[in-house]
Amino acid sequence: MRDAIGGSVPFDGDALLHRIDYRDAAAALDLVVTHGLTGAYNAVPDTDIPPTNRDFFAGITTGHGWPELTYRAEIATPLVPVSSAKLRATGFHFTY
Protein backbone atom coordinates (compact mmCIF):
# COMPACT_ATOMS: atom_id res chain seq x y z
CA MET A 1 0.00 0.00 0.00
CA ARG A 2 2.62 2.53 1.03
CA ASP A 3 4.72 2.00 -2.09
CA ALA A 4 1.69 2.40 -4.36
CA ILE A 5 0.91 5.85 -2.93
CA GLY A 6 4.48 6.93 -2.36
CA GLY A 7 3.98 7.30 1.39
CA SER A 8 2.04 10.55 0.92
CA VAL A 9 -1.74 11.04 0.99
CA PRO A 10 -3.83 14.11 0.10
CA PHE A 11 -6.01 14.14 3.21
CA ASP A 12 -5.41 15.60 6.68
CA GLY A 13 -3.95 13.31 9.32
CA ASP A 14 -6.00 15.04 12.03
CA ALA A 15 -9.31 14.58 10.18
CA LEU A 16 -11.70 11.98 11.52
CA LEU A 17 -12.05 8.74 9.60
CA HIS A 18 -15.81 8.21 9.41
CA ARG A 19 -16.59 4.67 8.27
CA ILE A 20 -19.77 2.72 7.58
CA ASP A 21 -20.25 -0.99 6.97
CA TYR A 22 -21.51 -1.70 3.46
CA ARG A 23 -24.62 -3.42 4.87
CA ASP A 24 -25.55 -0.33 6.89
CA ALA A 25 -24.89 1.85 3.83
CA ALA A 26 -27.22 -0.32 1.74
CA ALA A 27 -29.90 -0.26 4.44
CA ALA A 28 -29.65 3.54 4.76
CA LEU A 29 -29.95 3.96 1.00
CA ASP A 30 -32.91 1.58 0.91
CA LEU A 31 -34.66 3.57 3.65
CA VAL A 32 -34.09 6.89 1.84
CA VAL A 33 -35.36 5.51 -1.49
CA THR A 34 -38.27 3.50 -0.06
CA HIS A 35 -39.56 6.45 1.97
CA GLY A 36 -38.84 9.04 -0.71
CA LEU A 37 -36.73 11.11 1.63
CA THR A 38 -35.15 14.24 0.21
CA GLY A 39 -32.29 16.39 1.40
CA ALA A 40 -28.95 15.50 2.89
CA TYR A 41 -28.63 12.63 5.37
CA ASN A 42 -25.34 11.69 6.98
CA ALA A 43 -24.97 7.94 7.18
CA VAL A 44 -22.09 7.12 9.51
CA PRO A 45 -22.26 5.53 12.95
CA ASP A 46 -21.99 8.46 15.34
CA THR A 47 -22.25 7.04 18.84
CA ASP A 48 -18.44 7.00 19.20
CA ILE A 49 -15.93 9.53 17.92
CA PRO A 50 -14.02 7.88 15.07
CA PRO A 51 -10.22 7.73 15.02
CA THR A 52 -8.18 10.30 13.15
CA ASN A 53 -6.68 9.28 9.83
CA ARG A 54 -3.25 9.46 11.49
CA ASP A 55 -4.23 7.10 14.33
CA PHE A 56 -6.01 4.64 12.05
CA PHE A 57 -3.28 4.41 9.43
CA ALA A 58 -0.52 4.38 12.07
CA GLY A 59 -1.87 1.02 13.15
CA ILE A 60 -1.42 -0.30 9.64
CA THR A 61 1.99 1.20 8.95
CA THR A 62 3.36 0.25 12.37
CA GLY A 63 1.97 -3.25 12.01
CA HIS A 64 3.92 -3.69 8.77
CA GLY A 65 7.06 -1.92 9.97
CA TRP A 66 6.59 0.92 7.47
CA PRO A 67 7.38 4.60 8.06
CA GLU A 68 4.48 6.87 8.95
CA LEU A 69 2.52 8.39 6.08
CA THR A 70 2.87 12.05 5.14
CA TYR A 71 -0.47 13.90 5.24
CA ARG A 72 -0.70 16.80 2.78
CA ALA A 73 -4.14 18.12 3.88
CA GLU A 74 -5.11 18.99 0.29
CA ILE A 75 -8.63 17.54 0.60
CA ALA A 76 -11.02 19.10 3.11
CA THR A 77 -12.22 16.40 5.47
CA PRO A 78 -14.14 16.69 8.77
CA LEU A 79 -12.13 17.55 11.87
CA VAL A 80 -15.24 17.26 14.07
CA PRO A 81 -17.61 14.31 14.43
CA VAL A 82 -20.42 14.05 11.87
CA SER A 83 -23.96 13.58 13.22
CA SER A 84 -26.39 11.10 11.73
CA ALA A 85 -29.21 12.30 14.02
CA LYS A 86 -31.41 13.27 11.05
CA LEU A 87 -31.15 9.76 9.61
CA ARG A 88 -31.68 8.11 12.99
CA ALA A 89 -34.77 10.29 13.56
CA THR A 90 -36.41 8.39 10.67
CA GLY A 91 -36.10 5.18 12.71
CA PHE A 92 -32.88 4.01 11.10
CA HIS A 93 -30.33 2.27 13.29
CA PHE A 94 -26.81 1.14 12.54
CA THR A 95 -26.42 -2.63 12.90
CA TYR A 96 -22.80 -3.27 11.95
Side-chain angles (χ1 to χ4, degrees), residues 27-41 86-87 90:
L29 181 58
D30 180 61
L31 180 132
V32 168
V33 171
T34 300
H35 291 89
L37 302 178
T38 59
Y41 287 82
K86 183 178 174 182
L87 179 64
T90 69

Side-chain angles (χ1 to χ4, degrees), residues 3-90:
D3 291 341
I5 60 174
S8 178
V9 292
F11 43 86
D12 190 333
D14 295 325
L16 299 176
L17 181 63
H18 291 90
R19 299 165 291 171
I20 183 171
D21 185 277
Y22 72 94
R23 294 165 288 191
D24 282 335
L29 181 58
D30 180 61
L31 180 132
V32 168
V33 171
T34 300
H35 291 89
L37 302 178
T38 59
Y41 287 82
N42 292 322
V44 293
D46 58 352
T47 55
D48 296 317
I49 296 174
T52 64
N53 287 319
R54 187 179 323 283
D55 289 342
F56 180 81
F57 289 108
I60 295 171
T61 56
T62 300
H64 286 86
W66 299 332
E68 184 177 346
L69 294 172
T70 299
Y71 299 91
R72 300 190 311 264
E74 297 168 348
I75 298 174
T77 48
L79 298 173
V80 297
V82 171
S83 172
S84 293
K86 183 178 174 182
L87 179 64
R88 287 185 286 103
T90 69

